[in-house]
Amino acid sequence: MRMAPNPAIVFIGFMGAGKSTALESVPDALGEVIDIDQAIGHQVGMSVADYFKTKGEAAFREAEESLTLSALESAEGGAIALGGGAVESPRVREALRTHIVVWLDVSAGTAWERVASSDRPLAQDRARFDALFEKRRPVYEELADVIVLAGGAPALGPIALLADAPPGTKMLYATSESGGYPVFVGRGLLSRGFGLPHSGQSFWVTDTNVRSSYGNYVDPLATFEIEPGEGQKTMDTVHRVWREMVDLGLTRHDRVIALGGGVVGDLAGFCAATYQRGLRWVQIPTTLVAQVDSAYGGKTGVDLPEGKNYVGAYHLPETVIADVDMLRTLPVEELAAGFVEAFKTALLAGGPLWERARAVESLDSTALDDVVFECARYKCTVVAEDERDSGRRQVLNLGHTVGHAIEAATAYGRYRHGEAIGLGLLAALRLSDAPGLRDEVDEILRRHDLPTVLDPAVDLDAVLDALQRDKKRTAAGVGFVLLSEPGEPRTGQLVDPAKVEAAVKELYA
Ligand SMILES: NC(=O)c1ccc[n+]([C@@H]2O[C@H](COP(=O)([O-])OP(=O)(O)OC[C@H]3O[C@@H](n4cnc5c(N)ncnc54)[C@H](O)[C@@H]3O)[C@@H](O)[C@H]2O)c1
């Protein structure tokens, strides 16, 4: 990022994305606020729609480019909302590079609902509207330093932080029913303390492995350290963490910081959700599993002997700081296990993410920045539509039904989470009648030294019993996520139990 000394926050996005509305929440202290459409209206003495109609699009674009460039060139901080088409000008795109560009990403359907009844000249015909949307979307994407998901309204404080971020840091602003939070993905974030909120007391939860590499960043007087591994994700540990929080006198003005993988995140998040009925919490995910998946969406919880993640709460984090540099110390087996969650996301997303993930030849933390960011974006987009797992979010369970059953049947000790999910993906693709895709996934798992065959010592009946206790079970049976083509998952699919048994048995072959 080549920021101006005092960059402006510039909102870009399609018509109806909420750019003008976003300006309303800009505090005076941030500086001057300019809505380019309004500025054009003032300059030409009529509404933008009338100017467009009477003088034509070319004259409008000329006025728009000139005003936009002058606003960007003279900006000293502040915030600017661009017209939807301003980014089609190469000169505007160049001028944007020194500012913090915030793309308000909205679906074509939502945008149309918002503007269809207006007099906007480019919103009179749905087919033309959709074509323009598809044309501009990659331009917004390419320019964005921050992507605000699902038409939400971002908090500007965290966005302004980007001016001092390490180069290459990207940001999402995730929104869902119960709130929004920033997600920073970059390198060198932890060593700078970048993104960490400062108010209140911070209570760190981590594990011994993570602390041995990153212990100098935590507060030694307010840190709870667990032994590594799923075995610690229990109510017994929760109890110990709660008691420590009491001893330290933590109140609802304080926060929990989870520094670790998915185990630390789920555990610390659950403690934060429940202690004094809820404290703020920050996730600093340190494994690939956590950076591509578990750190987002606010699902927290612990295991019971009877089942994984059986007790928990939804509790959105205040901030997620994914420092990809931290993956350098991750053992290669953990990186591979984490890749399964990334790969699952790629299967769900299809398109460019799938192409990128299937082409990964060897796992190297230096090449994972984009994968981490795109997986975070996919997950946060899904959660934005369905925070409480009642619909779309269930897609994220692809491979998890059989995967979780394998973990429970082996007392969470035989396989890493991602390894079990890899086996679960194979079973899910068998149940999806997608033999070609199953073969390809099998080959990719092998390429990364991941298991594709279930250890014969794993008791088949125990796996089948665990499947019966699946949390997603309804009176009709366990609903599977199936997928015939990358990018086309189907949730809640009831499958003949005999076929399920056959798909699990096949894993022993
Ligand atoms: N909440 C959610 O939405 C969600 C989603 C997916 C998975 N999960 C949960 O995540 C858990 C699995 O997470 P995980 O795979 O991160 O496991 P983990 O937290 O046990 O971490 C794996 C291992 O890596 C070590 N480690 C972590 N970061 C390191 C680093 N930077 N350098 C060196 N070592 C490091 C840990 O000490 C541990 O030994 C499971 O409990 C699963 O249920 C939750």
Side-chain angles (χ1 to χ4, degrees):
M1 231 177 277
R2 300 157 298 285
M3 290 283 174
N6 192 6
I9 293 178
V10 185
F11 296 110
I12 62 168
F14 204 57
M15 55 189 120
K19 302 182 291 292
S20 302
T21 313
L23 283 188
E24 289 166 14
S25 59
V26 175
D28 291 345
L30 202 70
E32 195 187 357
V33 162
I34 305 173
D35 186 325
I36 296 290
D37 274 354
Q38 266 181 22
I40 297 173
H42 284 137
Q43 192 183 59
V44 300
M46 64 178 93
S47 76
V48 161
D50 287 342
Y51 190 68
F52 200 102
K53 274 184 222 145
T54 52
K55 303 283 179 185
E57 180 163 1
F60 169 74
R61 293 290 169 216
E62 209 174 295
E64 181 182 51
E65 182 184 66
S66 150
L67 266 172
T68 306
L69 288 174
S70 121
L72 291 173
E73 275 153 21
S74 60
E76 286 291 324
I80 305 171
L82 300 198
V87 295
E88 293 198 14
S89 150
R91 293 178 67 200
V92 168
R93 292 202 293 274
E94 191 50 39
L96 279 172
R97 302 212 177 268
T98 55
H99 295 284
I100 301 174
V101 180
V102 180
W103 172 28
L104 303 181
D105 186 11
V106 71
S107 70
T110 304
W112 178 253
E113 270 169 34
R114 290 178 182 173
V115 301
S117 55
S118 72
D119 62 353
R120 290 168 191 249
L122 298 176
Q124 303 305 312
D125 172 76
R126 181 67 200 256
R128 193 170 164 216
F129 182 88
D130 284 353
L132 196 58
F133 181 91
E134 289 306 324
K135 178 172 165 232
R136 287 188 187 159
R137 201 179 146 77
V139 185
Y140 299 135
E141 182 161 25
E142 147 75 15
L143 290 167
D145 299 309
V146 182
I147 304 179
V148 179
L149 296 169
L156 296 181
I159 290 176
L161 288 181
L162 270 187
D164 299 317
T169 305
K170 290 189 111 186
M171 178 180 168
L172 293 169
Y173 195 82
T175 52
S176 52
E177 207 180 341
S178 60
Y181 57 95
V183 172
F184 298 102
V185 179
R187 291 180 178 270
L189 304 179
L190 182 66
S191 57
R192 289 198 193 192
F194 179 82
L196 276 179
H198 294 297
S199 63
Q201 192 186 346
S202 292
F203 173 67
W204 296 73
V205 180
T206 189
D207 74 22
T208 51
N209 289 338
V210 175
R211 194 170 190 183
S212 72
S213 295
Y214 304 101
N216 45 337
Y217 301 115
V218 306
D219 174 357
L221 300 177
T223 297
F224 190 93
E225 180 182 307
I226 61 169
E227 288 300 314
E230 187 75 29
Q232 297 298 310
K233 224 178 91 173
T234 62
M235 284 307 293
D236 179 51
T237 317
V238 168
H239 198 240
R240 291 191 292 124
V241 176
W242 281 335
R243 300 290 300 275
E244 180 80 8
M245 292 166 84
V246 176
D247 279 354
L248 285 167
L250 291 189
T251 71
R252 296 187 65 185
H253 304 293
D254 302 319
R255 71 171 52 74
V256 173
I257 301 180
L259 177 71
V263 166
V264 166
D266 282 7
L267 170 81
F270 183 63
C271 295
T274 46
Y275 180 82
Q276 295 191 358
R277 297 197 184 84
L279 253 61
R280 295 170 295 180
W281 72 300
V282 172
Q283 287 248 46
I284 306 180
T286 64
T287 61
L288 190 53
V289 167
Q291 294 194 355
V292 299
D293 187 347
S294 66
Y296 319 102
K299 264 194 195 178
T300 71
V302 295
D303 305 328
L304 294 182
E306 291 79 8
K308 199 171 151 62
N309 299 330
Y310 237 69
V311 180
Y314 291 93
H315 190 48
L316 291 180
E318 183 182 16
T319 301
V320 179
I321 303 162
D323 185 337
V324 188
D325 268 345
M326 299 183 81
L327 301 179
R328 285 195 187 142
T329 52
L330 197 63
V332 63
E333 304 78 25
E334 294 295 346
L335 204 56
F339 184 68
V340 177
E341 292 282 10
F343 191 66
K344 172 207 80 175
T345 306
L347 275 167
L348 293 170
L353 183 55
W354 162 244
E355 294 304 334
R356 194 173 304 169
R358 78 201 290 212
V360 171
E361 281 300 328
S362 73
L363 288 176
D364 174 353
S365 67
T366 58
L368 288 170
D369 304 54
D370 283 351
V371 171
V372 168
F373 185 77
E374 289 305 326
C375 288
R377 181 175 163 193
Y378 180 85
K379 176 151 184 189
C380 291
T381 304
V382 170
V383 173
E385 284 177 30
D386 175 27
E387 187 180 325
R388 298 287 165 126
D389 229 344
S390 53
R392 173 127 196 251
R393 189 169 179 164
Q394 287 170 15
V395 296
L396 301 171
N397 290 324
L398 178 67
H400 280 60
T401 308
V402 170
H404 278 170
I406 292 171
E407 285 186 283
T410 51
Y412 309 107
R414 171 66 184 79
Y415 294 104
R416 291 181 177 80
H417 176 69
E419 293 171 343
I421 301 310
L423 291 161
L425 283 177
L426 293 176
L429 292 172
R430 169 63 63 226
L431 297 174
S432 306
D433 284 329
L437 193 54
R438 188 189 187 282
D439 287 350
E440 180 171 2
V441 170
D442 189 292
E443 186 273 314
I444 290 167
L445 294 176
R446 284 174 204 272
R447 193 194 300 164
H448 299 300
D449 289 329
L450 287 155
T452 55
V453 174
L454 200 48
D455 182 345
V458 176
D459 182 9
L460 171 67
D461 289 336
V463 177
L464 297 176
D465 281 355
L467 272 171
Q468 292 307 310
R469 290 194 301 272
D470 191 285
K471 293 197 299 297
K472 295 173 291 301
R473 191 183 173 82
T474 64
V478 179
F480 278 82
V481 184
L482 302 182
L483 174 128
S484 314
E485 294 284 338
E488 289 175 22
R490 289 166 283 137
T491 55
Q493 303 293 305
L494 294 177
V495 183
D496 176 356
K499 283 193 175 168
V500 176
E501 185 170 337
V504 176
K505 273 187 179 156
E506 185 187 33
L507 295 173
Y508 289 92

